[in-house]
């Protein structure tokens, strides 16, 4: 028996048309919000050593700031979507971005570790409320004819954050202290908030899937298998990424000043991988892309482990290309995973993609926690081996899933609505 999901109801055509102030150009303020959220979420990995020293905590404890944020986002995203389903969309965006700005100010002024941890939890819940709402707002504003372009404005903010925001945030932190980075992101958030208030029109709430509907979809073995792959691949990524500054210092002998260029290279490779994986999934099938990407990520992690056994001068020719391959493969995998979910159940794409977003953050929490255990045992050189273990488990989960998701991505037709983008 086919079940009907309210979230899949077609957007109101009257709301989907964009004219005048409703033009897609006004979505730049949501792009800025996504840029601020992406910058804050990823830059903290480069600030962990300074945070640990200033707050007088160990590096593993500082790493738990990433774990706590990711867990709060993974759990909070579906819960907040249900709790805020009845709010007018612009109001929700204003409240969420206001909470994000406040969270950054509290982080910048935190007197100790507990205060910073509490601020990061507020940041996670605010981001988990803003990102799905921003995607839904963009999808409705663009209408069926321009929905893809509208949604891409949100993902552009995240992509720019990885390429430029994170390296810039690390440079600011190194030059002016880690608190200055949170002040800077708070300023971006306030700027986005003002633009949303002034330039974006009001928008009635759509209909979102309840927790019961999400759990019902998660019981499908094929969907669950894809989500498990997302968890494991991202866990491998964040095992190393969370402690990348410590890893390249210990293995490659690179000082803090080298971290920003390394992150820039990682971000550029990630952007290329994200773009190419989508077209590759259309041509060769999303499952094949995930297998190839997973294999490349595994090779990169093994190269990390090999470089750890070499002298720093000899490790660099191995380590730096491996970081580029790692960035290219790990973020490309996420795009291919989304295509797998759409191919599995095009009509349920809004729900499954929002669940994949939670799986991604659950994986980042798992990876950061695993990395913390490695660091706590004074074995930074083993981060590559732990990440490789996650990569092997992810490849096994794909191979064991069979060929049911190997078909080419069809883009999900017109199934996307308020939760179509993570």
């Amino acid at each position: 028996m086919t079940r009907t999901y309210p979230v899949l109801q077609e957007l109101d055509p009257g709301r989907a048309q964009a004219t005048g102030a409703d033009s897609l150009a006004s979505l730049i303020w949501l792009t800025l919000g996504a840029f601020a959220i992406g910058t804050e979420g990823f830059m903290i990995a480069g600030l962990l050593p300074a945070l640990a020293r200033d707050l007088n905590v160990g590096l593993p404890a500082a790493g738990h700031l990433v774990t706590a944020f990711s867990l709060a986002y993974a759990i909070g995203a579906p819960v907040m979507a249900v709790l805020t389903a009845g709010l007018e969309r612009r109001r929700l965006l204003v409240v969420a971005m206001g909470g994000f700005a406040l969270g950054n100010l509290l982080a910048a002024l935190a007197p100790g570790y507990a205060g910073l941890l509490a601020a990061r939890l507020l940041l996670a819940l605010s981001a988990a409320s803003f990102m799905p709402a921003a995607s839904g707002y963009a999808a409705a504003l663009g209408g069926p004819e321009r929905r893809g372009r509208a949604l891409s404005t949100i993902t552009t903010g995240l992509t720019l954050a990885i390429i430029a925001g994170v390296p810039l945030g690390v440079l600011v932190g190194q030059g002016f202290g880690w608190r200055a980075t949170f002040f800077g992101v708070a300023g971006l958030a306030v700027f986005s908030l003002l633009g949303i208030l002034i330039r974006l029109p009001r928008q009635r709430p759509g209909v979102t899937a309840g927790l019961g509907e999400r759990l019902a979809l998660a019981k499908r073995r094929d969907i669950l298998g894809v989500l498990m792959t997302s968890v494991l691949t991202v866990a491998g990524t964040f095992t190393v990424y969370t402690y990348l500054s410590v890893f390249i210092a210990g293995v490659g002998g690179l000082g803090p000043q080298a971290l920003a260029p390394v992150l820039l290279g990682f971000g550029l490779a990630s952007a290329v991988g994200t773009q190419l994986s989508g077209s590759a999934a259309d041509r060769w099938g999303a499952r094949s892309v995930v297998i190839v990407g997973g294999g490349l990520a595994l090779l990169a992690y093994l190269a990390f482990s090999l470089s750890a056994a070499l002298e720093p001068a000899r490790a660099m020719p191995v380590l730096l290309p491996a970081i580029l391959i790692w960035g290219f493969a790990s973020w490309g995998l996420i795009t291919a995973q989304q295509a797998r979910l759409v191919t599995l159940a095009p009509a349920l794409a809004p729900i499954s993609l929002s669940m994949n977003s939670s799986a991604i953050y659950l994986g980042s929490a798992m990876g950061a926690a695993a990395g913390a255990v490695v660091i706590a045992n004074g074995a930074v050189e083993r981060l590559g081996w732990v990440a490789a273990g996650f990569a092997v488990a992810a490849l096994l989960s794909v191979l064991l899933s069979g060929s049911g998701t190997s078909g080419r991505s069809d883009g999900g037709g017109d199934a996307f609505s308020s939760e179509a983008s993570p």
Side-chain angles (χ1 to χ4, degrees):
M1 181 177 177
T2 302
R3 184 174 182 182
T4 301
Y5 289 81
V7 73
L8 303 176
Q9 293 176 357
E10 185 57 56
L11 293 168
D12 183 351
R15 290 187 294 138
Q17 301 302 318
T19 58
D22 297 352
S23 68
L24 295 187
S26 64
L27 295 179
I28 187 65
W29 304 108
L30 300 185
T31 304
L32 180 60
F35 176 80
I37 287 173
T39 298
E40 193 282 330
F42 292 113
M43 75 178 181
I44 194 169
L47 304 175
L48 288 185
L51 281 167
R53 289 192 302 269
D54 189 53
L55 299 177
N56 196 29
V57 298
L59 193 59
H64 290 327
L65 294 169
V66 178
T67 304
F69 179 96
S70 299
L71 276 178
Y73 194 112
I75 298 172
V79 174
M80 296 302 293
V82 173
L83 292 179
T84 61
L87 288 180
E88 185 267 318
R89 296 294 90 182
R90 189 182 71 173
R91 179 178 297 178
L92 173 57
L93 291 168
V94 167
V95 171
M97 188 49 60
F100 187 75
L102 175 62
N104 276 284
L105 288 176
L106 292 175
L109 300 172
Y113 179 80
L116 183 56
L117 180 62
R120 287 231 83 205
L121 292 176
L122 173 59
L123 287 168
L125 293 178
S126 300
S129 300
F130 181 87
M131 291 306 298
S135 296
Y137 187 100
L141 193 66
E145 302 84 4
R146 299 186 295 175
R147 191 169 301 163
R149 280 179 288 167
L151 287 170
S152 71
T153 62
I154 310 303
T155 57
T156 295
L158 294 176
T159 302
L160 290 175
I162 297 171
I163 295 174
V166 173
L168 181 60
V170 170
L171 287 175
V172 170
Q174 291 172 349
F176 303 97
W178 62 268
R179 295 179 187 273
T181 62
F182 286 103
F183 278 124
V185 175
L188 290 175
V190 170
F191 198 32
S192 170
L193 174 60
L194 292 175
I196 293 170
L197 279 170
I198 297 171
R199 298 296 300 168
L200 265 63
R202 293 180 180 275
Q203 187 181 103
R204 296 198 304 272
V207 182
T208 190
L211 292 176
E213 292 170 326
R214 298 167 192 266
L215 292 175
L217 183 60
K219 292 178 181 179
R220 282 183 47 172
R221 292 185 61 183
D222 52 355
I223 297 291
L224 185 60
V226 177
L227 295 177
M228 181 58 67
T229 301
S230 291
V231 170
L232 293 170
T233 55
V234 176
T237 298
F238 274 80
T239 296
V240 180
Y241 187 86
T242 306
Y243 300 98
L244 184 60
S245 60
V246 181
F247 184 79
I248 64 174
V251 173
L254 297 178
Q257 68 279 0
L259 180 60
V262 169
L263 289 173
L264 175 61
F266 177 89
L268 289 171
S270 301
V272 173
T274 299
Q275 292 298 317
L276 293 183
S277 64
S279 57
D282 291 337
R283 183 169 183 177
W284 293 297
R287 182 171 176 269
S288 298
V289 173
V290 172
I291 292 173
V292 172
L296 288 175
L298 176 58
L299 288 176
Y301 297 141
L302 293 177
F304 291 164
S305 302
L306 172 62
S307 65
L310 302 174
E311 295 293 327
R314 300 176 65 183
M316 292 311 301
V318 178
L319 182 58
L320 293 181
I323 289 176
L324 296 179
I325 295 172
W326 171 45
F328 176 85
S330 60
W331 287 99
L333 275 171
I334 293 176
T335 300
Q337 281 290 98
Q338 292 174 329
R340 290 181 74 198
L341 288 169
V342 172
T343 302
L344 271 175
L348 302 179
I351 306 175
S352 63
L353 291 179
S354 67
M355 292 170 62
N356 191 58
S357 180
S358 290
I360 288 170
Y361 278 92
L362 179 60
S364 64
M366 185 183 299
V373 173
V374 174
I375 296 295
N377 285 280
V380 64
E381 70 279 358
R382 297 181 183 174
L383 286 173
W385 290 116
V386 176
F390 281 123
V392 169
L395 280 171
L396 288 175
S397 72
V398 179
L399 295 173
L400 292 175
S401 68
S403 58
T405 60
S406 62
R408 291 174 174 78
S409 170
D410 61 7
D414 195 34
F416 295 92
S417 67
S418 63
E419 296 176 271
S421 180

